[in-house]
Amino acid sequence: MLDRIAWERHFERTPMPSANTAPSNSTAPSASTAPSANIAVVGLAVMGSNLARNLASREGNTVAVYNRTTSKTDDLIAAHPEAGFVKAATMQELADSLQTPRTAIIMVKAGRPTDAVIDELVSVFEPGDIIVDGGNALFTDTIRREAAVRETGIHFVGCGISGGEEGALNGPSLMPGGTAESYATLGPILTGIAAVAEGEPCVTHVGTDGAGHFVKMVHNGIEYADMQLIAEAYDLIRRGTGKSPAEIADVFDEWNRGELESYLIEITAEVLRQVDADTGQPLVDVILDAAGAKGTGAWTVQTALDLGVPVSGIAEAVFARSLSSRLAQRAAATDLPGPSDAWQVDDADAFIEDVRQALFASKIVAYSQGFDEIVAAAVEHGWDIQKGEVARIWRAGCIIRARFLKDITKAYAEDPDLPALILAPYFRAAMASTHEAWRRVVVAAAQAGIPSPAFSSSLAYYDGLRADRLPAALIQGQRDFFGAHTYRRIDREGTFHTQWSGDRTEIAATDTH
Ligand code: 6PG
């Protein structure tokens, strides 16, 4: 039996200081006097502002704030006198306001804006100081930036931050990379603001240079898969049982009391229950069915392709968003032949239970694939990533927080060298109890003509993984036929080629294309 995480305590932490006990700063301390701040936030859009407020609410922190448009800095300081912010009107003022080693967290747009701010900070910081990028940067950018900044003696830390605006304010999951030396200063500050799961702050030093942003990227890939799987579950239940969105919200609430318990299941129920004020329709029925994406899911898949790691569930989730957004093409294709729309399952309750099991099984595949990608990247980049720690810091604060992350941590604690997460005893048992329902759901979806790309590709991956023998042997034969690409044999060492255009005898080959 799984332990239950107290979900209502996702953001369990000490309260913000109340306005009447906090220092009043109707006139915020000027940065140009003495260095009074121990941490700075650069970039005061919603995420940056909330993170600054979170930092300021922790005992021992004095937070300097800077924004390119100074009025934003003034607005934040005026709106939150309890925070005791130190205003910096220029980067030099920001540097002057900070005790050494200076530590600044950048919360600006990924890409060029981040590079520009790093350059400015480097020009006013000194060796030993720490620049933290808290945006959703591409990990290869972080590796490049870390190497460049290191030349100056300044530390650069790419730190994944998950949890959206609410998480930034009340406790995010934090995934810092960078040097162990910088973590000695940064770690205690981050530990103070992180979400807490069963007494443990959701932060760890993930690994050097880009490791933190890499792990955040994979977090987002899993987020995409989880969201797509939930969407498919909703669609199948709605079309198979005729239940209304509000009734399906009740189903998700029920699921949220079991092994699927997670933030995404919880908010799904809330979205499904929402009624549009204008039309009186369920909101989900008036939202345009074209899913957006900021790119982190695509990065996860692109990187997996480079690493040669199959993340098919995540990839299908990314492609499903792309397909949904091709509105003109979809409009032109609605008359393509398919089964009639009239589909109704015989036993709604049994079908809903099958869908629940299919969702759990597919979700396990998404995590297993995501951890495979982390393992492969750790080898490629020389990162010492503790997989159980990664699952631990995802247990609260972040978007994919879920009850079963505890089972992932446990699985890696029992065997840190698991060949795949799905092979851990707990997950093997889960597969044994769910795979028949999963198959019934994929069959039903295919017969009814309802797209279930994440359910079905996850099942295909599962069956591919467990197969004794795959038709890849035939592909090797084809490759050897048209390109003399050679093959290995199951019965002896070496590389071989059949002389297809000659007498078709086999020869030993050295060709390795
Ligand atoms: C998080 C989220 C966040 C992500 C947004 C948008 O962990 O807080 O993953 O980082 O950027 O949710 O993602 P998409 O627009 O790509 O769906």
Side-chain angles (χ1 to χ4, degrees):
M1 186 66 195
L2 299 168
D3 285 338
R4 184 184 170 86
I5 295 175
W7 287 96
E8 62 280 11
R9 291 167 68 218
H10 274 152
F11 298 120
E12 168 196 341
R13 56 198 291 280
T14 57
M16 304 267 283
S18 67
N20 56 0
T21 56
S24 159
N25 76 333
S26 48
T27 52
S30 159
S32 53
T33 49
S36 56
N38 65 317
I39 180 86
V41 176
V42 177
L44 302 175
V46 186
M47 285 291 286
S49 297
N50 283 0
L51 197 74
R53 288 172 57 199
N54 186 355
L55 284 160
S57 74
R58 310 305 303 191
E59 203 164 330
N61 284 341
T62 301
V63 185
V65 285
Y66 170 86
N67 195 76
R68 190 171 300 280
T69 311
T70 313
S71 59
K72 265 207 162 154
T73 315
D74 293 333
D75 291 348
L76 177 68
I77 290 171
H80 296 285
E82 80 286 354
F85 289 128
V86 176
K87 175 182 169 178
T90 65
M91 280 291 186
Q92 188 59 58
E93 272 189 30
L94 184 90
D96 293 344
S97 74
L98 284 165
Q99 297 151 7
T100 55
R102 297 178 185 83
T103 308
I105 305 180
I106 304 173
M107 297 295 291
V108 302
K109 269 199 171 132
R112 279 193 193 167
T114 301
D115 277 315
V117 172
I118 293 169
D119 287 348
E120 288 178 76
L121 281 171
V122 164
S123 71
V124 294
F125 272 21
E126 292 172 330
D129 292 347
I130 303 164
I131 299 172
V132 184
D133 175 13
N136 262 339
L138 180 60
F139 76 101
T140 45
D141 283 345
T142 304
I143 291 174
R144 168 180 60 78
R145 288 170 179 148
E146 198 275 337
V149 173
R150 195 181 337 127
E151 298 279 301
T152 67
I154 297 168
H155 297 282
F156 182 78
V157 176
C159 181
I161 300 182
S162 178
E165 296 167 15
E166 193 197 343
L169 181 63
N170 294 318
S173 169
L174 296 164
M175 294 153 253
T179 59
E181 196 187 338
S182 59
Y183 194 70
T185 302
L186 192 59
I189 298 172
L190 296 183
T191 300
I193 61 164
V196 177
E198 294 182 314
E200 294 178 23
C202 292
V203 58
T204 193
H205 181 223
V206 174
T208 52
D209 55 66
H213 273 146
F214 184 89
V215 164
K216 174 59 170 53
M217 178 190 78
V218 174
H219 164 285
N220 280 28
I222 294 171
E223 174 184 308
Y224 273 57
D226 209 355
M227 292 168 76
Q228 175 64 24
L229 290 166
I230 291 171
E232 289 177 19
Y234 149 76
D235 198 25
L236 284 163
I237 293 174
R238 185 153 186 198
R239 292 164 72 174
T241 70
K243 282 185 186 293
S244 69
E247 288 169 329
I248 300 172
D250 293 341
V251 171
F252 279 97
D253 278 343
E254 178 63 33
W255 289 0
N256 204 36
R257 289 191 277 275
E259 61 200 355
L260 281 173
E261 182 181 289
S262 62
Y263 171 73
L264 284 171
I265 293 280
E266 180 189 317
I267 65 162
T268 298
E270 295 206 29
V271 174
L272 289 177
R273 213 168 266 131
Q274 185 71 17
V275 173
D276 176 49
D278 286 349
T279 60
Q281 299 290 308
L283 180 66
V284 72
D285 286 347
V286 297
I287 295 178
L288 184 70
D289 56 340
K294 293 211 185 73
T296 48
W299 290 349
T300 311
V301 178
Q302 284 160 351
T303 306
L305 289 171
D306 290 341
L307 291 166
V309 180
V311 293
S312 43
I314 297 170
E316 286 298 346
V318 175
F319 287 137
R321 290 196 192 188
S322 313
L323 188 148
S324 75
S325 297
R326 296 173 74 83
L327 294 172
Q329 208 176 41
R330 285 174 57 200
T334 51
D335 59 352
L336 283 175
S340 87
D341 274 351
W343 173 58
Q344 193 81 22
V345 296
D346 295 333
D347 182 338
D349 288 343
F351 181 69
I352 289 169
E353 174 54 17
D354 277 359
V355 172
R356 189 192 68 78
Q357 293 188 24
L359 178 52
F360 191 47
S362 305
K363 182 171 166 145
I364 292 169
V365 166
Y367 274 81
S368 197
Q369 293 182 341
F371 275 96
D372 278 354
E373 185 167 348
I374 291 174
V375 169
V379 172
E380 175 84 7
H381 298 282
W383 295 326
D384 179 22
I385 298 182
Q386 303 299 310
K387 299 174 287 284
E389 273 290 276
V390 170
R392 185 187 67 72
I393 65 170
W394 287 348
R395 279 180 48 213
C398 68
I399 304 297
I400 63 170
R401 57 190 186 251
R403 179 201 279 206
F404 95 141
L405 281 158
K406 194 167 180 176
D407 298 297
I408 299 181
T409 301
K410 193 162 164 257
Y412 283 121
E414 283 166 10
D415 182 359
D417 300 320
L418 269 173
L421 178 64
I422 202 169
L423 298 173
Y426 173 82
F427 295 111
R428 279 178 188 272
M431 288 298 154
S433 64
T434 57
H435 81 95
E436 284 170 7
W438 193 10
R439 293 178 197 288
R440 283 194 293 273
V441 169
V442 170
V443 167
Q447 281 180 338
I450 297 175
S452 61
F455 276 158
S456 53
S457 75
S458 305
L459 179 58
Y461 168 86
Y462 174 72
D463 284 332
L465 187 67
R466 62 180 202 88
D468 274 348
R469 194 151 165 80
L470 289 168
L474 176 58
I475 292 170
Q476 285 297 79
Q478 293 164 334
R479 292 177 71 241
D480 190 55
F481 188 101
F482 63 67
H485 292 306
T486 77
Y487 51 85
R488 287 180 295 154
R489 296 180 56 100
I490 58 172
D491 52 0
R492 52 185 196 272
E493 288 295 309
T495 309
F496 302 91
H497 167 61
T498 290
Q499 301 179 96
W500 297 102
S501 49
D503 64 1
R504 303 208 164 181
T505 55
E506 184 180 77
I507 56 170
T510 50
D511 190 346
T512 53
H513 356 207

